[in-house]
């Protein structure tokens, strides 16, 4: 696991630099870190090293759910549970070349809303200071690829599942070097 930690640390540095490069857009929302939460815009960070493929998707909860607050009724709790189930199945969000023979090692989900979902029967808990004006959702996926040289691209089908996602800011570290860019419903393939 130390190797994965180093990869994550390297990626954090690249993403941090990318966010600072976009600072003029950040101030449009009046917050130093607002670019990290712009509706319709998420981030996709990718690291490939050896046989390891790491993906980290981060997006405003509103783009996936239509709301960013604690679930207020059973329908919203069900919607949140369905979202968590979908995010635990990255094959619904990304398509990898079969020739790369990548197998999912782990999927981790992070959001203050997920913690609230675990307490969904406790309405008092949801109402006591756990409202989040701008909740983000982060999903981290780790794969082992038997033939990483065949990992030539990745297709993002997230846009089909969640029409509220309009754009993903891409940052990648691969054996070919670093790359960045934007992915949209019309341009959704990442080439390595």
């Amino acid at each position: 696991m130390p190797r994965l930690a180093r990869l994550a640390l390297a990626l954090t540095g690249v993403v941090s630099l990318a966010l600072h490069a976009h600072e003029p857009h950040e101030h449009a929302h009046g917050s130093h870190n607002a670019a990290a939460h712009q509706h319709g815009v998420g981030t996709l960070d990718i690291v490939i090293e050896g046989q390891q493929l790491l993906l980290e998707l981060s997006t405003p909860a509103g783009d996936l759910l239509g709301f960013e607050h604690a679930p207020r009724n059973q329908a919203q709790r069900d919607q949140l549970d369905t979202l968590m189930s979908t995010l635990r199945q990255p094959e619904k969000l990304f398509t990898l070349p079969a020739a790369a023979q990548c197998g999912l090692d782990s999927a981790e989900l992070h959001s203050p809303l997920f913690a609230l979902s675990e307490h969904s029967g406790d309405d008092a808990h949801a109402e006591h200071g756990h409202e989040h004006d701008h909740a983000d959702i982060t999903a981290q996926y780790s794969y082992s690829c038997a033939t990483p040289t065949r990992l030539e691209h990745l297709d993002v089908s997230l846009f089909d599942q969640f029409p509220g996602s309009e754009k993903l800011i891409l940052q990648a570290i691969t054996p070919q070097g670093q790359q960045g860019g934007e992915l949209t419903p019309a341009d959704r393939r990442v080439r390595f």
Side-chain angles (χ1 to χ4, degrees):
M1 203 55 128
R3 187 167 123 188
L4 294 179
R6 285 195 316 271
L7 290 174
L9 184 60
L11 183 58
T12 300
V14 170
V15 171
S16 177
L17 289 173
L19 286 176
H20 290 298
H22 287 82
E23 272 190 289
H25 301 296
E26 292 180 19
H27 297 293
H29 289 286
S31 169
H32 171 265
N33 198 18
H37 190 95
Q38 180 181 354
H39 291 271
V41 180
T43 60
L44 177 61
D45 301 324
I46 302 171
V47 176
I48 301 172
E49 183 177 293
Q51 294 185 312
Q52 294 294 302
L53 167 63
L54 303 174
L55 304 177
E56 181 174 286
L57 172 69
S58 185
T59 183
D63 296 353
L64 306 181
L65 287 168
F67 61 89
E68 296 186 336
H69 52 75
R72 294 185 176 141
N73 54 47
Q74 188 58 47
Q76 288 183 342
R77 284 190 281 275
D78 292 346
Q79 191 176 351
L80 186 58
D81 289 343
T82 298
L83 173 63
M84 291 172 66
S85 175
T86 299
L87 292 176
R88 286 187 180 108
Q89 302 172 61
E91 66 276 7
K92 292 185 174 187
L93 309 174
F94 307 103
T95 304
L96 300 170
Q101 300 177 28
C102 297
L104 183 67
D105 295 328
S106 67
E108 296 182 23
L109 307 180
H110 305 278
S111 175
L113 297 180
F114 297 156
L116 294 173
S117 177
E118 293 172 6
H119 301 286
S120 63
D122 184 359
D123 291 334
H125 178 82
E127 292 175 14
H128 263 357
H130 292 321
E131 290 291 323
H132 297 277
D133 294 334
H134 295 291
D136 287 335
I137 292 174
T138 300
Q140 298 169 327
Y141 306 104
S142 176
Y143 295 85
S144 294
C145 301
T147 315
T149 56
R150 301 298 302 269
L151 188 57
E152 299 165 347
H153 66 273
L154 173 142
D155 291 319
V156 179
S157 48
L158 168 86
F159 302 113
D160 298 330
Q161 294 282 331
F162 304 103
S165 293
E166 300 168 9
K167 176 172 49 174
L168 291 175
I169 306 299
L170 171 69
Q171 293 292 322
I173 300 173
T174 71
Q176 291 75 29
Q178 298 179 14
Q179 74 180 74
E182 293 182 356
L183 302 170
T184 65
D187 185 14
R188 60 179 62 201
R189 177 166 278 191
V190 181
R191 291 173 178 79
F192 303 119

